[in-house]
Amino acid sequence: SLTPRRRSNVYCLVSDIHFHNWSAFSKDESGINSRLLIIIEEMRKILNCALSEGANVYMAGDLFHVRGSLAPSVVNPVKNLFKEYTDLGVKVRAIPGNHDLESNESSEMGSAVEVLAPCGVIVSPDVVYYADDNVLMVPWRSKCEDLLDELADLADKHPGADLIIHAPVNGILIGVPDHGIWASQLRAFGFKRVFAGHYHNFKEIEDTIYSIGALTHQTWSDVGTFAGYLTVTDTEVCHLESQSPSFIDIDAGMTEADLRAKVPGNYVRLKIGEATEAQIRDARKE
């Protein structure tokens, strides 16, 4: 059947998709950026999962990449993708992240995600609660203090709900200063679970507090991070790792077996310090 079989105890969750005409390692594929196609196909896996399981799909922000600018060559294939599945009955629900917004604040007129509304995607520029999955979504807020004040009020209205936000949570990325929200602050509100988009690394920060991570690797900043999407049931959170190319650092001391395990299918960077052109050529060849 093409009609989803609804299971009330499962939903799919994805964040930081970053549909974009990426320049590095890309080429034109019949008018569509090849790396955009990779992201679209990863998103298709989620939509197929939702279709087969009768699950709803939640997108926690940063669907697009460049703030205040959308290329038609990005928008059109993405719209076609979502229309294909919403026409089959898949419910897709989205909030904007900071990359989706023209300004620092979330609004309907300033959100790029709104372009997907005519395709059947349910877009909310503000707080929204979905009773069928007991899910509460809060879009990007420019100040963490404002978000925390808002969550304190929402926790009283929706006790025991799963909370989906797009916000910086400390302890997700190594080397990033702790200028965001602490997991202990989120846990204190009493939500069943908290899922945060924004940082590109899946991580269970503390019990019931999760960083969703990005759908795919996108830049060298993503080296060493876990990309993919989540399936969530009443009792379990499962991370399904992306099968798209990863950004990988290798070093000159690796064995041939290590290189064969890491290089194929990925974007690879080797740091060799000072080197002649001949040494660089030899390294590339090896």
Side-chain angles (χ1 to χ4, degrees), residues 208-222:
T208 74
I209 311 296
Y210 298 85
S211 167
I212 304 166
L215 175 59
T216 64
H217 273 201
Q218 294 151 15
T219 70
W220 293 112
S221 297
D222 295 330

Side-chain angles (χ1 to χ4, degrees), residues 26-89:
S26 67
K27 58 184 178 180
D28 183 273
E29 295 279 3
S30 301
I32 303 178
N33 181 275
S34 59
R35 283 187 58 194
L36 172 61
L37 279 174
I38 289 172
I39 298 172
I40 286 174
E41 289 311 305
E42 286 297 312
M43 189 68 220
R44 186 181 297 278
K45 293 176 185 177
I46 302 173
L47 295 167
N48 279 331
C49 174
L51 185 63
S52 64
E53 295 293 328
N56 297 326
V57 177
Y58 293 86
M59 300 192 291
D62 283 2
L63 278 68
F64 298 100
H65 184 62
V66 181
R67 296 189 62 159
S69 175
L70 280 181
S73 55
V74 172
V75 172
N76 290 326
V78 171
K79 288 172 65 176
N80 292 341
L81 171 72
F82 285 109
K83 189 174 188 309
E84 176 184 347
Y85 285 87
T86 58
D87 282 352
L88 294 175

Side-chain angles (χ1 to χ4, degrees), residues 89-149:
V90 177
K91 289 184 179 179
V92 184
R93 297 158 171 178
I95 54 171
N98 55 309
H99 277 255
D100 299 313
L101 300 171
E102 191 172 358
S103 69
N104 289 329
E105 304 301 331
S106 178
S107 68
E108 182 177 357
M109 289 298 101
S111 170
V113 188
E114 294 292 336
V115 302
L116 300 181
C119 308
V121 175
I122 304 164
V123 180
S124 177
D126 211 332
V127 176
V128 59
Y129 173 70
Y130 295 102
D132 52 352
D133 288 313
N134 196 23
V135 164
L136 176 68
M137 302 184 82
V138 181
W140 170 262
R141 300 295 189 233
S142 60
K143 296 181 180 179
C144 291
E145 297 82 1
D146 293 343
L147 175 60
L148 291 171
D149 289 342

Side-chain angles (χ1 to χ4, degrees), residues 8-20:
S8 60
N9 68 331
V10 61
Y11 61 85
C12 300
L13 177 56
V14 62
S15 186
D16 297 87
I17 304 165
H18 289 272
F19 293 118
H20 178 59

